[in-house]
Amino acid sequence: LVYLGADVPTTDLVSAIEATRAEAVVLAATSDSGRSSLVRASRSIVAARGPKLFIGGPAVGPELDLAAGIRL
């Protein structure tokens, strides 16, 4: 388990995923601005055919799958 903290830039997140050979990633958003970051990060992880992706938090709703281009 590796905890990277809050507000991790997407490029750093992707680098950490590659460096640790992560099998899964958990992202959470608690605000609208956090949701925007989560969408960007999710798109990058999915585009890279990265590890399993789990998302959640108060700012995550059914509309997120459309914004991120992923299916929840």
Side-chain angles (χ1 to χ4, degrees):
L1 175 65
V2 176
Y3 176 71
L4 300 177
D7 299 322
V8 176
T10 299
T11 55
D12 293 348
L13 175 62
V14 171
S15 293
I17 290 169
E18 292 169 352
T20 62
R21 298 184 183 161
E23 294 181 20
V25 174
V26 179
L27 302 175
T30 58
S31 66
D32 288 340
S33 63
R35 181 176 35 220
S36 297
S37 296
L38 186 140
V39 167
R40 280 191 303 277
S42 296
R43 285 180 179 159
S44 294
I45 293 167
V46 169
R49 298 181 188 247
K52 293 179 184 175
L53 176 63
F54 299 90
I55 58 175
V60 174
E63 73 286 349
L64 185 68
D65 59 340
L66 296 174
I70 58 175
R71 193 171 126 205
L72 299 178

